[in-house]
Amino acid sequence: MGGTTTIRRLEAVEEYRQCEKLQERIWGPADIGGNRVVAMLTAQENGGHVFGAFAENGELAGFAYSFAGLGPDGRLRLCSIMIAVDERFRNSGIGYRLKQAQRADGLSRGIEVITWTFDPLQRVNAALNIRRLGGIARSYRVNLYGTFDGLNAGLETDRLVVEWWLRRHPRPSHWSTPRLAVPVSQVVADERTGFPRIAATDPDVDSDNLFLPIPPSLAELKRGDLPLAQDWRTRTRELFRAYLDRGYVIVDFLTTGTWPGYVLRRPPC
């Protein structure tokens, strides 16, 4: 759907109700997309924010919702709970613009970092969060939200925790993608279905730069071969945990090779 959209804070209660309805359309009523009017409005008025992207006719095209929190160091941060974009408005940059509104709001109040979680097997989210925004990740949470029906049905809700350091945007030059990142798994296309599968993994690669591939489309994989999608979850979980526990940091996401995937970097001693 074309046309321009305006990004601004939500104001009327009816606008918050539009957020509820958009969540149900995307995730379904039984899934994790269940942020309600009272919670969002309370966050907006107490240090958090809810930004909406509104089409020319006033329709809600997407929204971003965060609340204020404290990091492990006791410093104030923003915790981004959700960004949702109506499927009719996708691929028009709304998600990126909502993130920039979050960033501007945080910087205006002296906040250095925004954190959020996302499914590490979701290519589009990884490309935005890590590659385009320049976020990093060093924490992996297993089945963080439990199991749900709807969009997340069939897989445990494993999540990466993104740290978006606002004054480092865009990506610092010293984070430029390494040319030689050593793969930690071997991925092949199934001869019968064409779906990617993991043929082998290595949790003990010793290199400063690693590459951890993921499937091009988790949704297609789940629809076509749910057990294979579950295998991806289990085996990539083992790899993420093995390397992040050793101090590696996710610093980039690549989509230009045979398979998309993450670049992990070993911090200097």
Side-chain angles (χ1 to χ4, degrees):
M1 178 175 288
T4 60
T5 54
T6 300
I7 307 292
R8 62 168 174 80
R9 284 179 177 268
L10 267 61
E11 299 170 354
V13 170
E14 180 54 37
E15 293 176 346
Y16 290 94
R17 293 199 175 110
Q18 288 187 60
C19 292
E20 289 185 341
K21 294 174 184 176
L22 177 57
Q23 291 172 81
E24 287 201 5
R25 290 201 302 271
I26 295 174
W27 284 279
D31 206 290
I32 62 175
N35 298 292
R36 311 301 291 178
V37 168
V38 171
M40 289 186 287
L41 195 154
T42 302
Q44 181 95 289
E45 296 187 349
N46 291 276
H49 56 227
V50 187
F51 286 102
F54 292 91
E56 293 174 323
N57 63 358
E59 182 181 7
L60 182 74
F63 74 93
Y65 164 39
S66 294
F67 63 80
L70 296 177
D73 57 1
R75 298 177 66 181
L76 184 66
R77 61 174 55 188
L78 284 169
C79 306
S80 182
I81 298 301
M82 176 172 287
I83 283 193
V85 178
D86 189 299
E87 64 179 357
R88 296 170 297 160
F89 294 89
R90 288 178 191 165
N91 301 315
S92 60
I94 288 177
Y96 182 80
R97 291 174 60 207
L98 286 167
K99 296 306 293 186
Q100 294 308 309
Q102 290 186 312
R103 176 176 181 265
D105 179 64
L107 288 174
S108 72
R109 293 186 281 143
I111 294 172
E112 299 286 334
V113 63
I114 300 177
T115 63
W116 64 90
T117 65
F118 76 99
D119 188 329
L121 297 184
Q122 291 284 5
R123 176 185 58 83
V124 173
N125 292 352
L128 172 63
N129 297 336
I130 306 298
R131 178 66 176 179
R132 193 169 183 197
L133 294 176
I136 65 171
R138 40 191 160 191
S139 176
Y140 186 97
R141 305 291 298 277
V142 175
N143 200 25
L144 179 60
Y145 304 115
T147 55
F148 289 85
D149 296 325
L151 194 65
N152 284 278
L155 292 184
E156 293 186 322
T157 54
D158 288 22
R159 296 293 185 263
L160 283 172
V161 180
V162 178
E163 303 169 24
W164 191 25
W165 293 91
L166 304 181
R167 299 191 186 279
R168 300 178 188 172
H169 177 80
R171 178 181 302 277
S173 59
H174 66 276
W175 282 1
S176 59
T177 302
R179 295 182 179 178
L180 297 176
V182 180
V184 298
S185 64
Q186 178 187 357
V187 179
V188 298
D190 186 272
E191 295 180 357
R192 181 177 58 86
T193 66
F195 287 131
R197 61 179 176 84
I198 300 176
T201 62
D202 187 346
D204 297 311
V205 176
D206 185 15
S207 175
D208 288 340
N209 300 299
L210 306 175
F211 180 70
L212 198 162
I214 66 169
S217 173
L218 180 61
E220 289 183 8
L221 192 59
K222 287 175 62 178
R223 285 194 299 266
D225 192 335
L226 181 57
L228 182 57
Q230 293 168 336
D231 183 69
W232 270 95
R233 172 70 85 216
T234 300
R235 300 183 77 180
T236 55
R237 172 192 292 170
E238 294 169 353
L239 292 170
F240 278 116
R241 297 184 73 187
Y243 288 106
L244 295 180
D245 286 351
R246 284 164 52 187
Y248 281 85
V249 180
I250 294 171
V251 297
D252 208 349
F253 185 80
L254 306 181
T255 59
T256 55
T258 304
W259 308 109
Y262 297 88
V263 174
L264 292 81
R265 180 166 300 170
R266 179 163 53 196
C269 298

